[in-house]
Structure formats: structure tokens, C-alpha cells
Amino acid sequence: GIQVEQSPPDLILQEGANSTLRCNFSDSVNNLQWFHQNPWGQLINLFYIPSGTKQNGRLSATTVATERYSLLYISSSQTTDSGVYFCAVDPGTASKLTFGTGTRLQVTL
Amino acid sequence: GAGVSQTPSNKVTEKGKYVELRCDPISGHTALYWYRQSLGQGPEFLIYFQGTGAADDSGLPNDRFFAVRPEGSVSTLKIQRTERGDSAVYLCASSLGGTTEAFFGQGTRLTVV
């Protein structure tokens, strides 16, 4: 099946700093989603982005489908950004998402 | 409803008992998915329904696990003869179908003692 790798595995930032999270995948995809899992375990949708660039407030994402990677940018980080960020992909032949191992982000004051 | 709803939020059961976990998807979503998340891991696929039928159950770990969606809306994940290794958070998601955006419920934390 498709392989999904995320980097870095862990990230500690001071409030106000910017960061870039990366997701590499091993095959072409029809669906790619970024999620934020908050400390209570809820998976919150950030972006549905099988290709192209999207922005939502302080967050933006870019997927370069031909090169099989996606990037999530967090600007001016806040303590509420803490949690685990997951990238999940669906190659389109499976109609199910395969998740990466996540990036655990901690934003400190 | 406004989002995917899962009940109960927490379930503690004794080894060997039977449990049922419920998922109420977003209204109008024809696709429904069950995932399982162990501590420190990403969610792992269990089963996918399109309408009433299980289109893909390749992720179910063994025949103790079974899921139904009799009317194409609410789904129930059923686990027989629970084992301590079944302890995890069980997540349900729904989407409009195909490769469209999936939305997750808050999960059911199952603890087998």
C-alpha cells in the first residue's frame, strides 16, 4: 500500500515563530488532507488539498502532486497550535485514508 | 447533525465481554469509515461503507470485529470476546463519497481490563 512519511517527528517552537511540516507519499493521490489532533484527541480538518495551494488564516498548505509531497506552514504560532499534525492520503483506488505518523508540535510561551 | 457523533465517549469493559460502538455520520454523507488509533500512532483503517454495504473491510484485524450500517446512516462497530490488545481510540469518519473530504468524530476510547 501507499507509504506516508512526515517530518519532523517532533517540533518545539516559541510562541510567534513560524514552521514548516512536510509530508512525503509514495504514490499518486486523489485526496490529501491535513489534520490537527488536539490534546483531547479530536481530529480537526485543516486542509483538503490533493494539489495546489490553500490558505486559511495563519495556516497554509501546498501539495506538489507530481513530486509526491505536501507542506503545511504555520505562521506566528500560538500555544493553541500545540498537538499532533497528521497528513493523510488516498490514492483513489482505495477510498480510504492512510495516515502518516504525525508531527508532534509544542508551542511554548 | 452538524458533525460526526460517536457514543459512548469512553467505554471500560472486562476481557471477554462484547461491546458495541455507535457512529452517527453527517447528514447526507453516503460514505462512512471506522479507524482505530493506538497511543502514539496515526489512525489505522478498519472498514469502509458506501451506503449500506461494506465496500472494504480489509482493515478488520480478525473475525471478532464486525460492523453494520443497516439503513445507510448510523453504523455500529461490534467487538466480540474483547482482549486487552483491543484497547484504543475508535474513530468514525464520514464523507460525501469517493475521495471527497472526510470528517471525523471525537472517538470512543475503549479500555479492556
Side-chain angles (χ1 to χ4, degrees), chain A residues 30-31 33 35 37 41-43 45 47-48 86 90 92 94-97 99-100 104, chain B residues 33 35 37 40-43 45 48 56 58 91 98-106:
Chain A
N30 282 1
N31 179 6
Q33 292 186 238
F35 296 92
Q37 190 163 45
Q42 175 74 52
L43 278 169
N45 287 41
F47 295 101
Y48 168 74
F86 286 106
D90 173 4
S95 292
K96 61 191 178 190
L97 291 172
F99 282 75
R104 183 174 300 276
Chain B
Y33 312 81
Y35 289 79
Q37 186 175 22
Q41 306 291 319
F45 170 79
Y48 156 55
D56 183 349
S58 61
L91 295 163
T99 57
T100 57
E101 187 174 9
F103 296 86
F104 282 78
Q106 83 283 9

Side-chain angles (χ1 to χ4, degrees), chain B residues 101-113:
Chain B
E101 187 174 9
F103 296 86
F104 282 78
Q106 83 283 9
T108 294
R109 182 175 300 278
L110 175 67
T111 304
V112 182
V113 297

Side-chain angles (χ1 to χ4, degrees), chain A residues 25-84:
Chain A
F25 42 95
S26 61
D27 205 347
S28 57
V29 298
N30 282 1
N31 179 6
L32 187 148
Q33 292 186 238
W34 283 97
F35 296 92
H36 174 211
Q37 190 163 45
N38 65 22
W40 296 271
Q42 175 74 52
L43 278 169
I44 298 166
N45 287 41
L46 297 178
F47 295 101
Y48 168 74
I49 187 166
S51 63
T53 297
K54 291 185 178 179
Q55 179 154 9
N56 184 2
R58 297 182 294 104
L59 303 182
S60 64
T62 295
T63 297
V64 184
T66 52
E67 297 188 19
R68 300 182 183 170
Y69 73 89
S70 183
L71 302 174
L72 177 69
Y73 306 94
I74 304 174
S75 65
S76 304
S77 58
Q78 300 176 357
T79 55
T80 52
D81 295 332
S82 296
V84 183

Side-chain angles (χ1 to χ4, degrees), chain B residues 69-80:
Chain B
R69 194 185 185 199
E71 297 178 359
S73 178
V74 171
S75 176
T76 304
L77 178 65
K78 308 180 180 196
I79 310 174
Q80 299 177 323

Side-chain angles (χ1 to χ4, degrees), chain B residues 15 17 20 28-29 31 42 50 59 65 87 102:
Chain B
K15 179 176 178 295
K17 297 290 189 183
E20 290 189 351
H29 280 192
Q50 181 57 51
F65 289 74
S87 296

